[in-house]
Structure formats: C-alpha cells, structure tokens
Amino acid sequence: MADAHRAARPVIVDCDPGHDDVFALWLAAAHPGLELLAVTTVGGNVPLAHTTHNARVALTVAGVAGVPVAAGAAGPIARELQTAEWIHGENGLGGPELPEPTVPLDPRSATELMADTLRAAAEPVTIVATGPITNVAVLLRDRPDAAARIREIVWMGGSTGRGNVTPYAEFNAWVDPEALAAVVASGIPFTMVGLNVTHTALVTPAVRARLASADTATAVFGGELLEFFCRTNDEVFGLPDGPLHDPVAVAAVAEPDVVARVRTRLDVELAGAETSGATCVDLDGVLGREPNAWVATGLDVDRFWDSIAAAIARLR
Ligand code: BDR
Ligand code: CA
C-alpha cells in the first residue's frame, strides 16, 4: 500500500478504453496514493468516439464524478489509425451492456484540458498514458510551456523483447511511433512499462474470482469485461489468462517499487520494413548512447493484484 505519509500524487490518465484501460482508470481513481485530475482520450483500440464514450462509461460505472474527460487526437500524428477490435470488440468494450454515461464530456480538447490542468495544479503532475501517446506529443508540440509542469510520463507500451501486433512491435508503439519518439526526445522523465512486464499481470481464474468477490457494480462490470478480454486473448494469442497491461503503468506511479526498472537507452523504430514501431531497448548498453528512459523490467504480481482488488472494493 502507499506510504500513509506520502501525499496523493496528482495524475492525468490519457487512454483508449479498451478493457485494460478501464482498470487503469479505476486504479487511478481509487488508489489512495493518487489524485486523478483529468482523463483524456485518444483513438487507438477503437476510434476516438468509442474510446471517449468508454472512458465516460468506465467512470460512470464506478461512481467517479467530478473528473473532467476530454477527447483528443482521432489518430496518430503521421499515420493512419490502426485499431484492435479483434481484442476489444467493435465498441472497444466487448462483453457487458454499456450504460449511458452520466459523466459529461468536457468541451475542451485533450490538449487544452491537459494544459489547463497542468497550469492549475499545485505541483508538477504525472501523466500516465495507456494508449498510443499521440495526445502527449501534440501537447508538447503545441504547448511547449506545459513541459515544465509535467513531473514525469509513465506509458504502457513497447517491449524489451517480442511484440504483440507484429513480431517486434507492441500495439501502442506501433500505432504512433512518431509520437513516442517525440515524447521520449522531450527530455521529460519517461518510464516505459512494456509487454515484458505486463505479460506477468495475468488474469488467472483465481484473480477473476478474487475481483468478482467484491460483488459491487464495478466488480460485476469488470468481471464481464475480463470474461470477454480473456476469451479474445485466448483466441488471438493463446493466452486464456489475458494480460491486463494498462493498470500496471498506473500501479508503477501509485506504488513506484511495485515495478523494477532500469535506466537505459530507448529508441523507437520508425522506418523498419518489418519492425516499424519496435522499441529498441539497449539493456546491455552495447550502443554506448546516453540513457534516456526508465524501462520496467519486473512486477510484484501479488502486490499489483492486491492494489487492483483494493481499488475495485473502494468503488461503487
Ligand atoms: C496495449 O494495447 C491495447 O490493446 C491495450 O489497451 C494496451 O494499452 C497492449 O499492447
Ligand atoms: Ca490501452
């Protein structure tokens, strides 16, 4: 659990819900070590209209009110959007019936909401990104003054090894590698939480039973999400215990030592004929380049699920 003496850390979650993004939002909203200031959405798993609607649904189901939600980029900064209905379903949240959200859509763009939130915050804010990192790249390009107000950026994406959408590229990196390269080059402290770690956050039958035992509206909705997500992960990847990627990045902020991380060199492949979107992580320092990122290398899996279960139990 978070150090009781540590003040809650202010965060913005930038996401593309997506099943695992929903759990990331719930963890950010309910963990006592975090203060969720704003949510921004991006086209990714499914088009922007769906990801934005889904973020509002996720907060509505969990009874999270008063956190502004704004829509951002419909697609990557230099490419066509590629989506992942094969994992998340046509609407991005296959499984449960989606209620009409009562959480309103903020009229500002994601960039405006991020900039306003950063300016108004009493201290530098952490951005947790759980989709293609387009919105953050647009913020840094269009509002360079915002950079000084960002404490760090923690992103779920990439991999130190194999990919999940091509042999070497992870989905979020592959969708918008130019955005990722720009964000890493910004010099703002950056942590990559990639597949090499999130593939240990497996939704086993025991995990599903534990999360369902909360018997709340959030737990029921989450259980229906996980049933669908595990089925598609089984069909597509042969992973019946679907890895719950995105909340690992939130956990890495809420309880920093829940992940092990190393300071290393991270480059992203922009032009490779077969490797576009691959994250090249120089763990052995063979390139001799200046380290430019923190890269997660391990997860305390039991503690991670403890924090997810506690968050769900705290929500409606
Ligand atoms: C990432 O891609 C998306 O499908 C998930 O939401 C997660 O952010 C995993 O590769
Ligand atoms: Ca995501």
Side-chain angles (χ1 to χ4, degrees):
M1 297 299 292
D3 178 350
H5 302 293
R6 188 165 72 92
R9 191 198 281 208
V11 295
I12 296 170
V13 174
D14 182 60
C15 58
D16 64 337
H19 296 68
D20 50 336
D21 301 78
V22 169
F23 287 83
L25 287 170
W26 289 346
L27 184 59
H31 194 290
L34 300 177
E35 182 188 7
L36 179 59
L37 299 181
V39 173
T40 53
T41 58
V42 65
N45 284 320
V46 284
L48 181 68
H50 279 310
T51 60
T52 304
H53 184 82
N54 294 347
R56 295 167 59 212
V57 167
L59 298 180
T60 298
V61 167
V64 179
V67 177
V69 179
I77 55 178
R79 302 183 183 220
E80 291 292 309
L81 176 65
Q82 305 285 340
T83 51
E85 283 84 359
W86 28 281
I87 290 292
H88 297 280
E90 283 303 312
N91 68 359
L93 288 184
E97 191 175 325
L98 304 188
E100 199 46 44
T102 55
V103 169
L105 178 63
D106 194 286
R108 290 171 285 185
S109 70
T111 307
E112 290 168 339
L113 176 58
M114 282 176 165
D116 289 351
T117 303
L118 291 166
R119 198 180 323 104
E123 62 182 279
V125 175
T126 296
I127 297 178
V128 186
T130 62
I133 201 160
T134 317
N135 285 337
V136 183
V138 170
L139 173 74
L140 298 177
R141 181 192 68 196
D142 295 351
R143 307 289 288 264
D145 52 309
R149 303 293 303 157
I150 301 173
R151 173 171 169 168
E152 64 169 323
I153 297 163
V154 179
W155 170 68
M156 188 282 130
S159 172
T160 62
R162 307 289 291 185
N164 62 357
V165 66
T166 73
Y168 288 102
E170 180 277 335
F171 178 78
N172 291 338
W174 177 75
V175 171
D176 200 347
E178 284 80 14
L180 175 60
V183 171
V184 173
S186 73
I188 296 168
F190 184 85
T191 297
M192 173 185 119
V193 180
L195 298 178
N196 52 298
V197 168
T198 65
H199 273 210
T200 66
L202 294 173
V203 183
T204 62
V207 164
R208 277 166 71 178
R210 179 180 183 191
L211 299 184
S213 71
D215 199 25
T216 58
T218 305
V220 170
F221 189 87
E224 291 171 4
L225 286 178
L226 293 178
E227 187 182 337
F228 185 96
F229 185 68
C230 289
R231 188 168 68 246
T232 55
N233 270 276
D234 190 16
E235 288 164 3
V236 176
F237 300 118
L239 292 173
D241 302 341
L244 204 63
H245 311 279
D246 291 337
V248 181
V250 177
V253 177
E255 302 180 30
D257 56 348
V258 80
V259 299
R261 61 192 99 190
V262 295
R263 182 91 188 141
T264 185
R265 180 76 194 187
L266 164 62
D267 292 292
V268 56
E269 181 59 77
L270 301 178
E274 304 293 345
T275 53
S276 177
T279 44
C280 304
V281 181
D282 190 12
L283 289 175
D284 297 325
V286 293
L287 297 174
R289 297 180 190 155
E290 195 63 34
N292 61 351
W294 293 95
V295 171
T297 54
L299 174 69
D300 183 335
V301 174
D302 290 342
R303 200 169 138 201
F304 168 72
W305 288 121
D306 287 348
S307 67
I308 297 285
I312 286 178
R314 261 184 229 114
L315 293 163
R316 176 158 74 189

